[in-house]
Amino acid sequence: MWNVLLDPLPTEWNGYPIDSDFQIGIQISQCLNDESLSEVERFCIAVDLLFPCKDKRPDIEEAAEA
């Protein structure tokens, strides 16, 4: 069983590098709850935060799955 407090967080998803830093998780949570942004803006910001490598990101369908 995996424990988020004790076990290391992943560094990639389906071969794409991700930023699983705690602060990034908080920023993603804040942007997803920001009612001043449209759903598309929320999604794009969350993807930008989660997948820091601009040249190596999943396509939109894969990012939505992530």
Side-chain angles (χ1 to χ4, degrees):
M1 183 173 169
W2 185 74
N3 184 324
V4 72
L5 297 175
L6 301 175
D7 298 330
L9 295 173
T11 58
E12 67 174 32
W13 179 82
N14 283 359
Y16 299 103
I18 62 170
D19 189 344
S20 60
D21 184 69
F22 176 77
Q23 292 175 340
I24 295 297
I26 296 296
Q27 290 174 335
I28 290 171
S29 177
Q30 288 178 325
C31 89
L32 293 177
N33 291 310
D34 188 344
E35 295 180 6
S36 70
L37 300 171
S38 71
E39 283 203 30
V40 172
E41 290 172 319
R42 292 177 199 180
F43 177 77
C44 290
I45 292 169
V47 168
D48 284 346
L49 290 167
L50 186 60
F51 298 101
C53 296
K54 308 284 187 230
D55 58 336
K56 190 170 183 186
R57 284 198 179 145
D59 60 28
I60 291 175
E61 290 84 18
E62 282 185 305
E65 184 183 327

